[in-house]
mmCIF file of all heavy atoms in Angstrom:
data_model
loop_
_atom_site.group_PDB
_atom_site.id
_atom_site.type_symbol
_atom_site.label_atom_id
_atom_site.label_comp_id
_atom_site.label_asym_id
_atom_site.label_seq_id
_atom_site.Cartn_x
_atom_site.Cartn_y
_atom_site.Cartn_z
ATOM 1 N N SER E 756 8.233 -11.324 -8.961
ATOM 2 C CA SER E 756 9.349 -11.678 -8.089
ATOM 3 C C SER E 756 10.100 -12.853 -8.669
ATOM 4 O O SER E 756 11.260 -12.949 -8.722
ATOM 5 C CB SER E 756 8.789 -11.996 -6.714
ATOM 6 O OG SER E 756 9.920 -12.561 -5.909
ATOM 7 N N ASP E 757 9.359 -13.904 -9.193
ATOM 8 C CA ASP E 757 9.966 -15.000 -9.831
ATOM 9 C C ASP E 757 10.822 -14.664 -11.014
ATOM 10 O O ASP E 757 11.735 -15.433 -11.331
ATOM 11 C CB ASP E 757 8.854 -15.927 -10.191
ATOM 12 C CG ASP E 757 8.156 -16.662 -9.025
ATOM 13 O OD1 ASP E 757 8.737 -16.584 -7.957
ATOM 14 O OD2 ASP E 757 7.034 -17.218 -9.234
ATOM 15 N N LEU E 758 10.509 -13.448 -11.634
ATOM 16 C CA LEU E 758 11.280 -13.138 -12.834
ATOM 17 C C LEU E 758 12.447 -12.225 -12.397
ATOM 18 O O LEU E 758 13.237 -11.797 -13.252
ATOM 19 C CB LEU E 758 10.327 -12.283 -13.754
ATOM 20 C CG LEU E 758 9.297 -13.120 -14.530
ATOM 21 C CD1 LEU E 758 8.368 -12.350 -15.264
ATOM 22 C CD2 LEU E 758 10.056 -14.201 -15.343
ATOM 23 N N GLY E 759 12.560 -11.797 -11.130
ATOM 24 C CA GLY E 759 13.726 -11.069 -10.632
ATOM 25 C C GLY E 759 13.500 -9.576 -10.453
ATOM 26 O O GLY E 759 14.374 -8.787 -10.286
ATOM 27 N N ALA E 760 12.268 -9.090 -10.510
ATOM 28 C CA ALA E 760 11.928 -7.659 -10.213
ATOM 29 C C ALA E 760 12.524 -7.295 -8.842
ATOM 30 O O ALA E 760 12.527 -8.178 -7.997
ATOM 31 C CB ALA E 760 10.426 -7.420 -10.376
ATOM 32 N N ASP E 761 12.837 -6.066 -8.749
ATOM 33 C CA ASP E 761 13.681 -5.549 -7.626
ATOM 34 C C ASP E 761 12.682 -4.923 -6.620
ATOM 35 O O ASP E 761 12.922 -5.034 -5.384
ATOM 36 C CB ASP E 761 14.658 -4.516 -8.102
ATOM 37 C CG ASP E 761 15.614 -5.202 -8.888
ATOM 38 O OD1 ASP E 761 16.574 -5.846 -8.484
ATOM 39 O OD2 ASP E 761 15.590 -5.049 -10.195
ATOM 40 N N ILE E 762 11.623 -4.180 -6.867
ATOM 41 C CA ILE E 762 10.775 -3.507 -5.954
ATOM 42 C C ILE E 762 9.353 -3.445 -6.536
ATOM 43 O O ILE E 762 9.148 -3.263 -7.843
ATOM 44 C CB ILE E 762 11.358 -2.191 -5.572
ATOM 45 C CG1 ILE E 762 10.731 -1.531 -4.478
ATOM 46 C CG2 ILE E 762 11.440 -1.333 -6.839
ATOM 47 C CD1 ILE E 762 11.327 -0.199 -3.912
ATOM 48 N N LEU E 763 8.333 -3.283 -5.767
ATOM 49 C CA LEU E 763 7.004 -3.123 -6.101
ATOM 50 C C LEU E 763 6.451 -1.805 -5.509
ATOM 51 O O LEU E 763 6.635 -1.615 -4.286
ATOM 52 C CB LEU E 763 6.053 -4.277 -5.751
ATOM 53 C CG LEU E 763 4.595 -4.247 -6.042
ATOM 54 C CD1 LEU E 763 4.383 -4.421 -7.550
ATOM 55 C CD2 LEU E 763 3.792 -5.305 -5.271
ATOM 56 N N ASN E 764 5.809 -1.084 -6.325
ATOM 57 C CA ASN E 764 5.197 0.241 -5.850
ATOM 58 C C ASN E 764 3.711 0.021 -6.095
ATOM 59 O O ASN E 764 3.155 0.098 -7.162
ATOM 60 C CB ASN E 764 5.755 1.273 -6.793
ATOM 61 C CG ASN E 764 5.200 2.682 -6.276
ATOM 62 O OD1 ASN E 764 4.644 2.808 -5.189
ATOM 63 N ND2 ASN E 764 5.266 3.698 -7.236
ATOM 64 N N CYS E 765 2.955 -0.141 -4.999
ATOM 65 C CA CYS E 765 1.498 -0.282 -5.036
ATOM 66 C C CYS E 765 0.972 1.098 -4.888
ATOM 67 O O CYS E 765 1.033 1.746 -3.808
ATOM 68 C CB CYS E 765 1.156 -1.164 -3.838
ATOM 69 S SG CYS E 765 -0.793 -1.281 -3.789
ATOM 70 N N ILE E 766 0.351 1.649 -5.919
ATOM 71 C CA ILE E 766 -0.129 3.028 -5.928
ATOM 72 C C ILE E 766 -1.659 3.075 -5.798
ATOM 73 O O ILE E 766 -2.248 2.361 -6.566
ATOM 74 C CB ILE E 766 0.325 3.788 -7.283
ATOM 75 C CG1 ILE E 766 1.798 3.560 -7.539
ATOM 76 C CG2 ILE E 766 -0.114 5.144 -7.281
ATOM 77 C CD1 ILE E 766 2.301 4.042 -8.888
ATOM 78 N N PRO E 767 -2.238 3.784 -4.866
ATOM 79 C CA PRO E 767 -3.588 3.876 -4.803
ATOM 80 C C PRO E 767 -4.238 4.567 -5.953
ATOM 81 O O PRO E 767 -3.610 5.607 -6.413
ATOM 82 C CB PRO E 767 -3.770 4.622 -3.429
ATOM 83 C CG PRO E 767 -2.602 5.402 -3.236
ATOM 84 C CD PRO E 767 -1.479 4.510 -3.824
ATOM 85 N N LEU E 768 -5.309 4.052 -6.427
ATOM 86 C CA LEU E 768 -6.029 4.788 -7.547
ATOM 87 C C LEU E 768 -6.322 6.284 -7.348
ATOM 88 O O LEU E 768 -6.714 6.523 -6.247
ATOM 89 C CB LEU E 768 -7.324 4.062 -7.706
ATOM 90 C CG LEU E 768 -8.284 4.707 -8.819
ATOM 91 C CD1 LEU E 768 -7.793 4.506 -10.146
ATOM 92 C CD2 LEU E 768 -9.765 4.250 -8.617
ATOM 93 N N TYR E 769 -6.002 6.994 -8.257
ATOM 94 C CA TYR E 769 -6.273 8.583 -8.248
ATOM 95 C C TYR E 769 -7.520 8.744 -9.109
ATOM 96 O O TYR E 769 -7.385 8.540 -10.328
ATOM 97 C CB TYR E 769 -5.068 9.259 -8.715
ATOM 98 C CG TYR E 769 -5.288 10.684 -8.672
ATOM 99 C CD1 TYR E 769 -4.523 11.463 -7.612
ATOM 100 C CD2 TYR E 769 -6.082 11.498 -9.530
ATOM 101 C CE1 TYR E 769 -4.534 12.906 -7.647
ATOM 102 C CE2 TYR E 769 -6.061 12.857 -9.376
ATOM 103 C CZ TYR E 769 -5.390 13.561 -8.519
ATOM 104 O OH TYR E 769 -5.457 14.873 -8.379
ATOM 105 N N SER E 770 -8.604 8.954 -8.544
ATOM 106 C CA SER E 770 -9.927 9.109 -9.346
ATOM 107 C C SER E 770 -9.852 10.247 -10.266
ATOM 108 O O SER E 770 -9.776 11.449 -9.684
ATOM 109 C CB SER E 770 -11.061 9.079 -8.370
ATOM 110 O OG SER E 770 -11.177 7.887 -7.721
ATOM 111 N N VAL E 771 -9.966 10.137 -11.566
ATOM 112 C CA VAL E 771 -9.726 11.232 -12.529
ATOM 113 C C VAL E 771 -11.078 11.434 -13.167
ATOM 114 O O VAL E 771 -11.610 10.499 -13.841
ATOM 115 C CB VAL E 771 -8.671 10.960 -13.427
ATOM 116 C CG1 VAL E 771 -8.555 12.165 -14.495
ATOM 117 C CG2 VAL E 771 -7.196 10.761 -12.612
ATOM 118 N N GLU E 772 -11.390 12.669 -13.329
ATOM 119 C CA GLU E 772 -12.669 13.100 -13.951
ATOM 120 C C GLU E 772 -12.618 12.670 -15.489
ATOM 121 O O GLU E 772 -11.570 12.693 -16.126
ATOM 122 C CB GLU E 772 -12.872 14.524 -13.871
ATOM 123 C CG GLU E 772 -14.183 15.096 -14.662
ATOM 124 C CD GLU E 772 -14.228 16.583 -14.625
ATOM 125 O OE1 GLU E 772 -13.501 17.135 -13.912
ATOM 126 O OE2 GLU E 772 -15.127 17.124 -15.315
ATOM 127 N N GLY E 773 -13.692 12.062 -16.023
ATOM 128 C CA GLY E 773 -13.738 11.744 -17.432
ATOM 129 C C GLY E 773 -13.241 10.426 -17.763
ATOM 130 O O GLY E 773 -12.998 10.064 -18.926
ATOM 131 N N THR E 774 -12.981 9.568 -16.739
ATOM 132 C CA THR E 774 -12.559 8.143 -17.019
ATOM 133 C C THR E 774 -13.544 7.208 -16.583
ATOM 134 O O THR E 774 -14.470 7.624 -15.852
ATOM 135 C CB THR E 774 -11.342 7.907 -16.265
ATOM 136 O OG1 THR E 774 -11.548 7.917 -14.777
ATOM 137 C CG2 THR E 774 -10.205 8.956 -16.549
ATOM 138 N N PRO E 775 -13.540 5.964 -17.052
ATOM 139 C CA PRO E 775 -14.558 4.964 -16.733
ATOM 140 C C PRO E 775 -14.540 4.676 -15.229
ATOM 141 O O PRO E 775 -15.473 4.303 -14.561
ATOM 142 C CB PRO E 775 -14.197 3.784 -17.390
ATOM 143 C CG PRO E 775 -13.579 4.345 -18.705
ATOM 144 C CD PRO E 775 -12.873 5.508 -18.231
ATOM 145 N N PHE E 776 -13.310 4.908 -14.528
ATOM 146 C CA PHE E 776 -13.144 4.682 -13.128
ATOM 147 C C PHE E 776 -13.333 5.900 -12.285
ATOM 148 O O PHE E 776 -12.987 5.880 -11.071
ATOM 149 C CB PHE E 776 -11.866 4.105 -12.844
ATOM 150 C CG PHE E 776 -11.601 2.737 -13.247
ATOM 151 C CD1 PHE E 776 -10.424 2.118 -13.317
ATOM 152 C CD2 PHE E 776 -12.739 1.959 -13.676
ATOM 153 C CE1 PHE E 776 -10.170 0.822 -13.706
ATOM 154 C CE2 PHE E 776 -12.600 0.607 -14.210
ATOM 155 C CZ PHE E 776 -11.335 0.053 -14.153
ATOM 156 N N GLU E 777 -13.917 7.043 -12.891
ATOM 157 C CA GLU E 777 -13.995 8.248 -12.021
ATOM 158 C C GLU E 777 -14.899 8.087 -10.763
ATOM 159 O O GLU E 777 -14.640 8.879 -9.797
ATOM 160 C CB GLU E 777 -14.575 9.356 -12.911
ATOM 161 C CG GLU E 777 -16.043 9.210 -13.347
ATOM 162 C CD GLU E 777 -16.464 10.334 -14.170
ATOM 163 O OE1 GLU E 777 -15.782 11.524 -14.183
ATOM 164 O OE2 GLU E 777 -17.549 10.277 -14.863
ATOM 165 N N SER E 778 -15.691 7.168 -10.763
ATOM 166 C CA SER E 778 -16.771 7.032 -9.615
ATOM 167 C C SER E 778 -16.124 6.111 -8.502
ATOM 168 O O SER E 778 -16.740 5.898 -7.479
ATOM 169 C CB SER E 778 -18.045 6.498 -10.079
ATOM 170 O OG SER E 778 -17.949 5.354 -10.724
ATOM 171 N N ILE E 779 -15.037 5.390 -8.911
ATOM 172 C CA ILE E 779 -14.468 4.461 -7.901
ATOM 173 C C ILE E 779 -13.662 5.311 -6.940
ATOM 174 O O ILE E 779 -12.690 6.063 -7.286
ATOM 175 C CB ILE E 779 -13.546 3.509 -8.575
ATOM 176 C CG1 ILE E 779 -14.335 2.565 -9.567
ATOM 177 C CG2 ILE E 779 -12.839 2.569 -7.598
ATOM 178 C CD1 ILE E 779 -13.546 1.574 -10.214
ATOM 179 N N PRO E 780 -13.855 5.208 -5.597
ATOM 180 C CA PRO E 780 -13.251 6.005 -4.632
ATOM 181 C C PRO E 780 -11.758 5.450 -4.540
ATOM 182 O O PRO E 780 -11.523 4.257 -4.646
ATOM 183 C CB PRO E 780 -13.920 5.800 -3.357
ATOM 184 C CG PRO E 780 -14.654 4.435 -3.582
ATOM 185 C CD PRO E 780 -14.966 4.360 -5.083
ATOM 186 N N SER E 781 -10.870 6.381 -4.123
ATOM 187 C CA SER E 781 -9.485 5.907 -3.892
ATOM 188 C C SER E 781 -9.451 5.040 -2.618
ATOM 189 O O SER E 781 -10.284 5.229 -1.657
ATOM 190 C CB SER E 781 -8.607 7.080 -3.597
ATOM 191 O OG SER E 781 -8.510 7.996 -4.810
ATOM 192 N N PRO E 782 -8.670 4.034 -2.549
ATOM 193 C CA PRO E 782 -8.497 3.204 -1.425
ATOM 194 C C PRO E 782 -8.011 3.946 -0.264
ATOM 195 O O PRO E 782 -7.327 4.926 -0.338
ATOM 196 C CB PRO E 782 -7.565 2.062 -1.881
ATOM 197 C CG PRO E 782 -6.756 2.627 -2.853
ATOM 198 C CD PRO E 782 -7.613 3.638 -3.690
ATOM 199 N N THR E 783 -8.435 3.530 0.923
ATOM 200 C CA THR E 783 -8.042 4.218 2.187
ATOM 201 C C THR E 783 -6.545 3.761 2.481
ATOM 202 O O THR E 783 -5.942 2.800 1.904
ATOM 203 C CB THR E 783 -8.920 3.689 3.307
ATOM 204 O OG1 THR E 783 -8.548 2.307 3.554
ATOM 205 C CG2 THR E 783 -10.334 3.901 3.069
ATOM 206 N N ASN E 784 -5.885 4.624 3.297
ATOM 207 C CA ASN E 784 -4.554 4.305 3.759
ATOM 208 C C ASN E 784 -4.464 2.896 4.348
ATOM 209 O O ASN E 784 -3.440 2.211 4.131
ATOM 210 C CB ASN E 784 -4.060 5.390 4.712
ATOM 211 C CG ASN E 784 -3.911 6.764 4.175
ATOM 212 O OD1 ASN E 784 -3.773 6.882 2.864
ATOM 213 N ND2 ASN E 784 -3.986 7.745 4.911
ATOM 214 N N GLU E 785 -5.503 2.467 5.118
ATOM 215 C CA GLU E 785 -5.413 1.269 5.777
ATOM 216 C C GLU E 785 -5.547 0.194 4.684
ATOM 217 O O GLU E 785 -4.795 -0.908 4.803
ATOM 218 C CB GLU E 785 -6.650 1.088 6.693
ATOM 219 C CG GLU E 785 -6.509 1.891 8.095
ATOM 220 C CD GLU E 785 -6.762 3.405 7.683
ATOM 221 O OE1 GLU E 785 -7.373 3.723 6.652
ATOM 222 O OE2 GLU E 785 -6.319 4.170 8.526
ATOM 223 N N GLU E 786 -6.263 0.300 3.591
ATOM 224 C CA GLU E 786 -6.417 -0.690 2.657
ATOM 225 C C GLU E 786 -5.088 -0.810 1.936
ATOM 226 O O GLU E 786 -4.545 -1.964 1.626
ATOM 227 C CB GLU E 786 -7.487 -0.381 1.671
ATOM 228 C CG GLU E 786 -8.852 -0.516 2.307
ATOM 229 C CD GLU E 786 -10.077 0.091 1.430
ATOM 230 O OE1 GLU E 786 -9.732 1.020 0.656
ATOM 231 O OE2 GLU E 786 -11.086 -0.370 1.520
ATOM 232 N N VAL E 787 -4.443 0.265 1.608
ATOM 233 C CA VAL E 787 -3.154 0.290 0.895
ATOM 234 C C VAL E 787 -2.089 -0.380 1.705
ATOM 235 O O VAL E 787 -1.288 -1.217 1.250
ATOM 236 C CB VAL E 787 -2.714 1.723 0.563
ATOM 237 C CG1 VAL E 787 -1.266 1.758 -0.075
ATOM 238 C CG2 VAL E 787 -3.703 2.429 -0.367
ATOM 239 N N LYS E 788 -2.125 -0.030 3.034
ATOM 240 C CA LYS E 788 -1.123 -0.708 3.986
ATOM 241 C C LYS E 788 -1.249 -2.260 4.023
ATOM 242 O O LYS E 788 -0.288 -2.898 3.951
ATOM 243 C CB LYS E 788 -1.348 -0.095 5.278
ATOM 244 C CG LYS E 788 -0.325 -0.643 6.320
ATOM 245 C CD LYS E 788 -0.620 -0.027 7.714
ATOM 246 C CE LYS E 788 0.362 -0.647 8.765
ATOM 247 N NZ LYS E 788 0.144 -0.101 10.154
ATOM 248 N N TYR E 789 -2.505 -2.634 4.053
ATOM 249 C CA TYR E 789 -2.729 -4.100 4.083
ATOM 250 C C TYR E 789 -2.175 -4.786 2.864
ATOM 251 O O TYR E 789 -1.535 -5.896 2.925
ATOM 252 C CB TYR E 789 -4.314 -4.348 4.263
ATOM 253 C CG TYR E 789 -4.548 -5.744 4.140
ATOM 254 C CD1 TYR E 789 -4.364 -6.652 5.291
ATOM 255 C CD2 TYR E 789 -5.112 -6.353 2.973
ATOM 256 C CE1 TYR E 789 -4.706 -8.115 5.179
ATOM 257 C CE2 TYR E 789 -5.487 -7.616 2.906
ATOM 258 C CZ TYR E 789 -5.295 -8.489 3.929
ATOM 259 O OH TYR E 789 -5.542 -9.875 3.861
ATOM 260 N N VAL E 790 -2.502 -4.159 1.717
ATOM 261 C CA VAL E 790 -2.086 -4.835 0.343
ATOM 262 C C VAL E 790 -0.606 -4.853 0.285
ATOM 263 O O VAL E 790 -0.038 -5.822 -0.160
ATOM 264 C CB VAL E 790 -2.713 -4.098 -0.811
ATOM 265 C CG1 VAL E 790 -2.093 -4.484 -2.076
ATOM 266 C CG2 VAL E 790 -4.160 -4.200 -0.812
ATOM 267 N N ARG E 791 0.076 -3.828 0.703
ATOM 268 C CA ARG E 791 1.544 -3.719 0.679
ATOM 269 C C ARG E 791 2.152 -4.810 1.679
ATOM 270 O O ARG E 791 3.141 -5.387 1.242
ATOM 271 C CB ARG E 791 2.015 -2.352 1.074
ATOM 272 C CG ARG E 791 1.830 -1.232 -0.099
ATOM 273 C CD ARG E 791 2.151 0.088 0.465
ATOM 274 N NE ARG E 791 2.063 1.043 -0.636
ATOM 275 C CZ ARG E 791 2.103 2.426 -0.519
ATOM 276 N NH1 ARG E 791 2.193 2.946 0.818
ATOM 277 N NH2 ARG E 791 2.074 3.253 -1.470
ATOM 278 N N GLU E 792 1.515 -4.925 2.713
ATOM 279 C CA GLU E 792 2.112 -6.003 3.651
ATOM 280 C C GLU E 792 1.955 -7.337 3.167
ATOM 281 O O GLU E 792 2.864 -8.205 3.219
ATOM 282 C CB GLU E 792 1.383 -5.768 4.955
ATOM 283 C CG GLU E 792 1.864 -4.546 5.813
ATOM 284 C CD GLU E 792 0.998 -4.341 7.091
ATOM 285 O OE1 GLU E 792 0.066 -5.071 7.321
ATOM 286 O OE2 GLU E 792 1.382 -3.527 7.866
ATOM 287 N N GLU E 793 0.873 -7.637 2.389
ATOM 288 C CA GLU E 793 0.697 -8.873 1.775
ATOM 289 C C GLU E 793 1.692 -9.167 0.666
ATOM 290 O O GLU E 793 2.285 -10.231 0.527
ATOM 291 C CB GLU E 793 -0.798 -8.998 1.260
ATOM 292 C CG GLU E 793 -1.840 -9.087 2.322
ATOM 293 C CD GLU E 793 -1.808 -10.431 3.050
ATOM 294 O OE1 GLU E 793 -1.858 -11.480 2.404
ATOM 295 O OE2 GLU E 793 -1.685 -10.433 4.303
ATOM 296 N N ALA E 794 1.932 -8.101 -0.177
ATOM 297 C CA ALA E 794 2.841 -8.158 -1.236
ATOM 298 C C ALA E 794 4.316 -8.311 -0.861
ATOM 299 O O ALA E 794 5.166 -8.835 -1.550
ATOM 300 C CB ALA E 794 2.694 -6.987 -2.195
ATOM 301 N N GLU E 795 4.605 -7.722 0.357
ATOM 302 C CA GLU E 795 5.848 -7.636 0.863
ATOM 303 C C GLU E 795 6.449 -9.118 1.082
ATOM 304 O O GLU E 795 7.786 -9.250 1.175
ATOM 305 C CB GLU E 795 5.999 -6.897 2.006
ATOM 306 C CG GLU E 795 7.418 -6.362 2.436
ATOM 307 C CD GLU E 795 7.458 -5.221 3.302
ATOM 308 O OE1 GLU E 795 6.429 -5.068 4.168
ATOM 309 O OE2 GLU E 795 8.369 -4.332 3.323
ATOM 310 N N ALA E 796 5.637 -10.049 1.114
ATOM 311 C CA ALA E 796 6.198 -11.446 1.344
ATOM 312 C C ALA E 796 7.001 -11.809 0.138
ATOM 313 O O ALA E 796 7.774 -12.876 0.147
ATOM 314 C CB ALA E 796 5.025 -12.343 1.437
ATOM 315 N N TYR E 797 6.791 -11.125 -1.003
ATOM 316 C CA TYR E 797 7.418 -11.573 -2.298
ATOM 317 C C TYR E 797 8.463 -10.423 -2.831
ATOM 318 O O TYR E 797 9.479 -10.768 -3.387
ATOM 319 C CB TYR E 797 6.465 -11.637 -3.354
ATOM 320 C CG TYR E 797 5.419 -12.714 -3.050
ATOM 321 C CD1 TYR E 797 4.247 -12.375 -2.519
ATOM 322 C CD2 TYR E 797 5.841 -14.119 -3.254
ATOM 323 C CE1 TYR E 797 3.364 -13.427 -2.156
ATOM 324 C CE2 TYR E 797 4.922 -15.156 -2.949
ATOM 325 C CZ TYR E 797 3.612 -14.729 -2.372
ATOM 326 O OH TYR E 797 2.785 -15.730 -2.047
ATOM 327 N N LEU E 798 8.156 -9.176 -2.438
ATOM 328 C CA LEU E 798 9.035 -7.999 -2.967
ATOM 329 C C LEU E 798 9.184 -6.830 -1.990
ATOM 330 O O LEU E 798 8.146 -6.639 -1.343
ATOM 331 C CB LEU E 798 8.551 -7.632 -4.379
ATOM 332 C CG LEU E 798 8.949 -8.245 -5.600
ATOM 333 C CD1 LEU E 798 8.287 -7.444 -6.859
ATOM 334 C CD2 LEU E 798 10.495 -8.227 -5.796
ATOM 335 N N PRO E 799 10.275 -6.241 -1.859
ATOM 336 C CA PRO E 799 10.359 -4.913 -1.129
ATOM 337 C C PRO E 799 9.310 -3.988 -1.698
ATOM 338 O O PRO E 799 9.066 -4.006 -2.922
ATOM 339 C CB PRO E 799 11.794 -4.599 -1.355
ATOM 340 C CG PRO E 799 12.606 -5.714 -1.733
ATOM 341 C CD PRO E 799 11.592 -6.563 -2.501
ATOM 342 N N GLN E 800 8.696 -3.255 -0.770
ATOM 343 C CA GLN E 800 7.634 -2.246 -1.126
ATOM 344 C C GLN E 800 8.279 -0.834 -1.145
ATOM 345 O O GLN E 800 9.011 -0.423 -0.235
ATOM 346 C CB GLN E 800 6.572 -2.259 -0.175
ATOM 347 C CG GLN E 800 5.827 -3.713 -0.201
ATOM 348 C CD GLN E 800 5.301 -4.041 -1.547
ATOM 349 O OE1 GLN E 800 4.353 -3.305 -1.975
ATOM 350 N NE2 GLN E 800 5.777 -5.046 -2.207
ATOM 351 N N MET E 801 7.763 -0.081 -2.197
ATOM 352 C CA MET E 801 8.125 1.335 -2.138
ATOM 353 C C MET E 801 6.930 2.000 -1.481
ATOM 354 O O MET E 801 5.802 2.008 -1.995
ATOM 355 C CB MET E 801 8.196 1.920 -3.595
ATOM 356 C CG MET E 801 8.464 3.401 -3.652
ATOM 357 S SD MET E 801 8.597 4.000 -5.360
ATOM 358 C CE MET E 801 8.815 5.811 -5.057
ATOM 359 N N ARG E 802 7.231 2.823 -0.446
ATOM 360 C CA ARG E 802 6.150 3.332 0.363
ATOM 361 C C ARG E 802 6.191 4.903 0.297
ATOM 362 O O ARG E 802 5.403 5.522 0.919
ATOM 363 C CB ARG E 802 6.162 2.930 1.860
ATOM 364 C CG ARG E 802 5.844 1.412 2.007
ATOM 365 C CD ARG E 802 5.851 0.984 3.500
ATOM 366 N NE ARG E 802 5.195 -0.198 3.689
ATOM 367 C CZ ARG E 802 5.726 -1.466 3.609
ATOM 368 N NH1 ARG E 802 6.978 -1.556 3.237
ATOM 369 N NH2 ARG E 802 5.096 -2.515 3.814
ATOM 370 N N HIS E 803 7.170 5.461 -0.489
ATOM 371 C CA HIS E 803 7.406 6.819 -0.377
ATOM 372 C C HIS E 803 6.961 7.570 -1.807
ATOM 373 O O HIS E 803 7.444 8.576 -2.174
ATOM 374 C CB HIS E 803 8.750 7.249 -0.116
ATOM 375 C CG HIS E 803 9.775 6.708 -0.919
ATOM 376 N ND1 HIS E 803 10.160 5.346 -0.882
ATOM 377 C CD2 HIS E 803 10.472 7.201 -1.950
ATOM 378 C CE1 HIS E 803 11.171 5.096 -1.690
ATOM 379 N NE2 HIS E 803 11.363 6.237 -2.362
#
């Protein structure tokens, strides 16, 4: 935001087979919502 970026898109992890993060579960909708609300203090959020 300090550099002038226009919008932030917080994307929940998509767990993909064959990657080091394959066993990490995707965040819940509630977790994503919370993080976006916190980040919205600095930048508009893409929610779609």
Side-chain angles (χ1 to χ4, degrees):
S756 175
D757 290 342
L758 291 171
D761 297 278
I762 189 170
L763 178 71
N764 180 20
C765 179
I766 306 174
L768 174 72
Y769 186 107
S770 300
V771 179
E772 179 184 353
T774 69
F776 287 170
E777 67 178 346
S778 61
I779 298 179
S781 297
T783 65
N784 291 338
E785 290 73 19
E786 290 170 333
V787 175
K788 180 182 178 181
Y789 174 79
V790 170
R791 285 174 175 168
E792 289 175 348
E793 291 290 305
E795 199 162 27
Y797 302 97
L798 274 179
Q800 299 295 296
M801 178 182 180
R802 290 182 166 86
H803 58 284

